[in-house]
Structures are given as structure tokens and as C-alpha cells.
């Protein structure tokens, strides 16, 4: 039960990230922006497509340069409210103005010391969870428990299967047999 007690509000976020640095995060990304101008043009194009009604997750998967989140449609997972205070001010301000399902304008991420543009991002607020105890009847809690039980059972079955294979395995060293046969033939 304590596992489902949320201490502080949680934000469920997704983002589309475009770096203006040529090798950040990796130069091998298809369509990777190589400078600030290309990055700005790319994020503006993505923003215009979002404005015209295209799916955020599909655009994140196709254009986001954050390889860790792009595959999952840009989802960053639950972020505690206290962790938002550690993000850049522009992102924090943009998130505070969003309602669930909305996405931000293009956010410019700059180096605070040099004011050089490092990247651009668009953030979407997928949902906000208030602090407090989650009820066992909550569909998300039930799904989490199902997933945990399924994963535990899967792990147990994999270990049992591996152990069964090891116990019933027969190992023959044909190379040594071949050497011994040739050695015996030489005598």
C-alpha cells in the first residue's frame, strides 16, 4: 500500500528535443540538426505540424533527437514536482501554464553562462497526478500490479527453463575426440 502513496504531485510529460550542437546527442541520428539555424528550422517545422493536428507521439518518434525517449513517443515518465524546480526556467514556466493534453510553444534552452542556444524543445503535459494515497481500485494501480506479477512470473519461468536446459544438457567435446582418434591412429 505504501508503494502507491504519492508524496508530491507528479507530472506526466513528453517532449520533442532538437539539439543545435552537431554531435549532441549523436551525429548518427538521421536528419540531425548540425547548427542553430537547422535546429530552429526543424523544431518550427515540427511545431507547425503539431498545430495542424498531427500526433505528438508520432512526431516525437520521427524527429526528436533524444534517442532515449523518441521510441516511446517522447514520454519522459512521471516527474515529481520538486524535480521540475531543477529544470531550466523556460521549461518550468511552460509546463506550469499547460493543461493535460496541451503542448508548449517552442522552448529555447540556452547556456546560462554564455547565453548560447544549446537546443530547442516542445513539451506536452500528458497528465498531472495529485499527491496522496492511490486506491487499489484505480485502473493505473491495478495495471501496475498486473504488470509486476506478470514480470515476476515471466522471470521465474525463464529461470526454471534455463535450469532445466542446463540440467539436461549433454556436452561432447568433438575436437578432443578427433585429436585422441588421430593420436591413436599414429601409434
Amino acid at each position: 500500500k505504501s508503494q502507491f502513496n504519492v508524496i508530491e504531485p507528479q507530472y506526466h510529460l513528453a517532449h520533442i528535443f532538437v539539439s543545435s550542437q552537431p554531435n549532441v546527442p549523436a551525429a548518427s541520428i538521421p536528419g540531425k540538426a548540425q547548427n542553430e539555424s537547422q535546429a530552429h528550422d526543424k523544431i518550427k517545422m515540427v511545431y507547425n505540424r503539431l498545430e495542424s493536428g498531427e500526433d505528438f507521439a508520432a512526431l516525437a518518434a520521427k524527429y526528436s533527437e533524444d534517442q532515449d525517449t523518441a521510441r516511446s513517443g517522447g514520454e519522459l515518465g512521471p516527474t515529481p514536482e520538486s524535480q521540475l524546480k531543477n529544470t531550466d526556467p523556460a521549461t518550468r514556466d511552460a509546463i506550469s501554464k499547460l493543461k493535460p493534453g496541451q503542448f508548449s510553444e517552442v522552448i529555447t534552452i540556452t547556456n546560462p553562462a554564455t547565453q548560447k542556444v544549446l537546443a530547442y524543445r516542445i513539451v506536452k503535459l500528458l497528465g498531472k497526478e495529485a499527491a496522496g494515497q492511490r486506491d487499489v481500485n484505480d485502473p493505473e494501480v491495478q495495471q501496475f500490479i498486473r504488470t509486476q506479477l506478470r514480470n515476476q512470473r515471466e522471470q521465474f519461468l525463464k529461470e526454471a527453463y534455463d535450469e532445466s536446459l542446463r540440467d539436461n544438457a549433454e556436452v561432447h567435446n568433438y575436437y578432443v575426440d578427433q585429436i585422441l582418434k588421430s593420436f591413436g591412429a599414429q601409434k
Side-chain angles (χ1 to χ4, degrees):
K1 191 172 178 179
S2 65
Q3 192 175 4
F4 302 108
N5 187 14
V6 180
I7 296 169
E8 61 181 309
Q10 304 258 344
Y11 291 82
H12 294 275
L13 303 169
H15 78 155
I16 298 172
F17 176 85
V18 177
S19 173
S20 62
Q21 311 302 305
N23 294 321
V24 177
S28 62
I29 298 171
K32 167 75 183 92
Q34 297 299 310
N35 55 45
E36 187 181 332
S37 174
Q38 286 180 1
H40 187 266
D41 291 347
K42 183 176 179 180
I43 200 77
K44 272 310 234 185
M45 177 271 301
V46 170
Y47 182 78
N48 290 338
R49 290 177 70 172
L50 284 169
E51 284 284 297
S52 68
E54 288 193 46
D55 182 51
F56 190 95
L59 290 171
K62 188 170 184 177
Y63 295 108
S64 183
E65 295 176 4
D66 180 353
Q67 293 176 312
D68 296 333
T69 63
R71 287 185 290 275
S72 62
E75 283 194 38
L76 297 166
T79 306
E81 192 172 54
S82 61
Q83 194 175 334
L84 282 181
K85 294 176 176 127
N86 299 333
T87 63
D88 62 284
T91 300
R92 187 174 52 246
D93 293 343
I95 292 170
S96 69
K97 296 174 187 169
L98 296 176
K99 291 183 178 132
Q102 291 181 328
F103 55 87
S104 68
E105 300 279 327
V106 173
I107 302 167
T108 305
I109 302 170
T110 57
N111 180 330
T114 63
Q115 297 305 311
K116 184 174 191 249
V117 174
L118 300 175
Y120 298 96
R121 75 191 308 198
I122 301 169
V123 179
K124 180 176 183 179
L125 179 61
L126 302 173
K128 184 178 176 184
E129 214 176 324
Q133 182 68 46
R134 297 291 169 260
D135 188 35
V136 179
N137 295 329
D138 182 341
E140 287 182 23
V141 171
Q142 290 179 349
Q143 184 58 43
F144 178 80
I145 293 170
R146 268 191 222 96
T147 303
Q148 288 287 92
L149 291 172
R150 196 172 294 124
N151 289 345
Q152 287 174 354
R153 182 169 187 243
E154 186 178 301
Q155 185 66 33
F156 175 76
L157 290 173
K158 280 181 183 177
E159 288 173 8
Y161 179 74
D162 289 347
E163 189 173 322
S164 172
L165 286 177
R166 270 193 304 276
D167 290 348
N168 296 323
E170 289 185 34
V171 179
H172 294 282
N173 192 334
Y174 293 106
Y175 181 68
V176 170
D177 290 347
Q178 190 68 29
I179 291 174
L180 289 174
K181 283 182 186 174
S182 68
F183 183 71
Q186 288 179 2
K187 287 185 176 182

